[in-house]
Amino acid sequence: MNIHKIADHLNTLADDSETGMNFDCQPISGEVDVLQITVIGREELPIFVSVTDDQILCITYLWGIDEVKPECINTMHESMLEMNIPMPLSSFAKIGDKYVTFGALSISSTFSDIEHELGVLSNNAIEVIDDMSEYLI
Amino acid sequence: MSIFKKIMTAIRGGATEIGESIVDSNATRIFEQEIRDAEHHLTKAKRDLTGVMAEQMSASRDVDRLKRDVAEHEGYAVQALEKGDESLALAVAEKIANLESELTTQQQALDSFSGNATRLKELVKKSERQVAEFKRQLSMVKTTESVQKATSAITDNFSSSNSKLLNAKDSLERIKAKQQKFDDRMKAAEVLESEDSDNSLAAQLKEAGIGATSTSANSVLERLKAKQK
């Protein structure tokens, strides 16, 4: 599995995706290949996919630490930890000064698994921002 | 220091500088070397184990054979005694004594081989666990590196395309607005469709002369005539 195979698959899906979402893929070249996946209608929250030796990582950036109301940060962290297990397939993490939600899949996952993961991740991201917006500026 | 702590320390210390490797590039090489060493030990232990197990089987066969020989000769000795041939019985007894001494030696060898086999099996298991553990740690180091590199590629991409990550709340509002617009369009399409079907129904009624009919010159004239009366 590599990002180009994933991109090819998602592009051939067009309107026939199981999730009902329409994916637009754009590879980003760098030392590590990254696939930027845009869900049509949700362009503001792209999903970044990278493939390593044993897993496929799908990451969506949520908000920066500068967007959190300073007095709310501890409560927000607690809420995020509490939500981490109930949230299907995705987990929270922090990369540098940005909070993210991500899902990790086995390298042997099927295209259908990946598609499902992307759909769930996108829905989770929107829901999380909605739920956590009281802590955000 | 555990690999978790190493990674955390590295991230906290070095993540501010984009492009700077989070994990000491030697760390990967060290882990890979440790995995190779452990795998080498594993192969050697497995080979030794095969040898020892073969010796164990051979010793076990010898022990069985000697036990059978002892039992057989004990039978001969008894038979010799029954025939009253004391000297023959003594000769057989001497043979039995030799066999028993050989049996003791072989039994000791067998015990030693069995002990070695058990020890080697444990070593193989331990090495296998160690290889799995090193591989897990290597995967953590590599993932950390890869995410760091991916993040820098993403950041570069954003800064080069002059777009930036929007404020989360703004993004949500925009997405919701788009969804709303889409829903509205769907609703409008539905309304339009139902209006179309209303129109077609009215047309059919009109054609059948039912309901409101369009004003014609005749009907106007009729109305005017009615007013004159």
Side-chain angles (χ1 to χ4, degrees):
Chain A
M1 192 58 75
N2 61 50
I3 63 155
H4 301 288
K5 284 187 188 164
I6 297 173
D8 283 348
H9 173 74
L10 293 177
N11 285 335
T12 53
L13 277 180
D15 292 331
D16 295 330
S17 72
E18 285 170 37
T19 53
M21 292 176 189
N22 222 316
F23 301 102
D24 184 44
C25 302
Q26 193 199 339
I28 299 172
S29 52
E31 230 181 306
V32 169
D33 282 340
V34 182
L35 188 65
Q36 178 173 346
I37 298 175
T38 313
V39 179
I40 305 303
R42 297 174 175 184
E43 289 78 1
E44 290 77 5
L45 291 172
I47 300 168
F48 296 98
V49 176
S50 63
V51 178
T52 58
D53 288 349
D54 52 4
Q55 59 178 357
I56 302 168
L57 271 180
C58 309
I59 301 175
T60 297
Y61 286 79
L62 295 171
W63 54 77
I65 198 154
D66 52 344
E67 290 176 54
V68 183
K69 291 176 189 163
E71 70 276 16
C72 291
I73 195 145
N74 286 334
T75 329
M76 187 192 79
H77 283 159
E78 245 174 71
S79 305
M80 289 170 88
L81 281 175
E82 283 164 0
M83 228 179 129
N84 222 6
I85 291 178
M87 184 165 57
L89 299 182
S90 312
S91 311
F92 290 116
K94 194 162 162 263
I95 301 177
D97 56 358
K98 299 226 162 33
Y99 291 89
V100 304
T101 178
F102 76 99
L105 290 96
S106 153
I107 191 79
S108 54
S109 302
T110 62
F111 285 127
S112 162
D113 290 337
I114 296 169
E115 193 189 332
H116 181 68
E117 170 70 32
L118 294 171
V120 172
L121 184 63
S122 177
N123 287 335
N124 283 341
I126 290 179
E127 214 143 295
V128 163
I129 297 175
D130 213 355
D131 288 347
M132 301 284 170
S133 59
E134 57 179 304
Y135 308 124
L136 303 176
I137 292 163
Chain B
M1 191 162 43
S2 83
I3 189 68
F4 264 114
K5 279 221 173 106
K6 269 188 201 166
I7 289 177
M8 270 166 70
T9 311
I11 289 176
R12 291 208 173 126
T16 41
E17 293 270 325
I18 285 172
E20 188 179 308
S21 185
I22 288 187
V23 180
D24 176 12
S25 62
N26 277 326
T28 315
R29 273 199 296 279
I30 289 166
F31 274 122
E32 278 166 348
Q33 187 55 49
E34 278 173 347
I35 288 171
R36 271 197 298 277
D37 288 351
E39 275 174 340
H40 180 71
H41 286 311
L42 190 59
T43 319
K44 195 177 170 296
K46 277 183 176 166
R47 207 167 44 224
D48 288 353
L49 180 60
T50 318
V52 167
M53 279 170 83
E55 303 241 41
Q56 187 189 7
M57 277 190 276
S58 152
S60 165
R61 265 197 306 276
D62 283 348
V63 165
D64 285 347
R65 182 181 53 78
L66 287 165
K67 276 182 181 166
R68 267 199 314 276
D69 279 2
V70 168
E72 204 181 310
H73 282 84
E74 274 172 358
Y76 296 156
V78 170
Q79 281 174 41
L81 281 176
E82 277 168 358
K83 286 187 176 171
D85 195 337
E86 191 87 13
S87 62
L88 183 62
L90 187 65
V92 176
E94 264 171 31
K95 171 80 175 168
I96 294 174
N98 282 340
L99 284 172
E100 278 181 342
S101 132
E102 203 184 327
L103 177 62
T104 312
T105 316
Q106 280 301 330
Q107 186 63 55
Q108 276 168 358
L110 175 62
D111 291 348
S112 149
F113 287 138
S114 302
N116 272 340
T118 313
R119 194 181 54 79
L120 279 169
K121 275 180 194 164
E122 271 165 20
L123 190 69
V124 165
K125 254 192 224 158
K126 200 178 144 221
S127 298
E128 275 171 347
R129 276 199 297 269
Q130 207 164 41
V131 168
E133 172 59 17
F134 283 141
K135 282 188 173 166
R136 190 183 66 84
Q137 297 194 353
L138 179 64
S139 162
M140 278 171 65
V141 172
K142 279 193 166 173
T143 305
T144 310
E145 266 184 342
S146 149
V147 167
Q148 201 268 346
K149 284 172 183 166
T151 312
S152 95
I154 293 163
T155 313
D156 289 351
N157 183 62
F158 269 111
S159 47
S160 69
S161 68
N162 263 341
S163 52
K164 66 178 192 74
L165 292 166
L166 289 159
N167 173 294
K169 271 180 151 182
D170 292 348
S171 298
L172 183 67
E173 286 315 311
R174 282 175 177 227
I175 291 169
K176 278 185 170 173
K178 271 186 273 193
Q179 184 62 45
Q180 188 62 53
K181 215 185 250 175
F182 179 76
D183 289 348
D184 287 350
R185 267 210 303 274
M186 291 286 279
K187 216 175 276 170
E190 275 171 34
V191 170
L192 208 62
E193 205 172 310
S194 65
E195 276 178 0
D196 277 353
S197 61
D198 278 354
N199 284 342
S200 68
L201 183 65
Q204 282 173 30
L205 287 169
K206 196 171 150 189
E207 208 166 296
I210 303 169
T213 46
S214 55
T215 32
S216 63
N218 274 338
S219 66
V220 173
L221 199 63
E222 288 297 320
R223 201 173 65 224
L224 292 174
K225 277 180 184 167
K227 266 189 186 170
Q228 274 182 336
K229 284 176 189 169

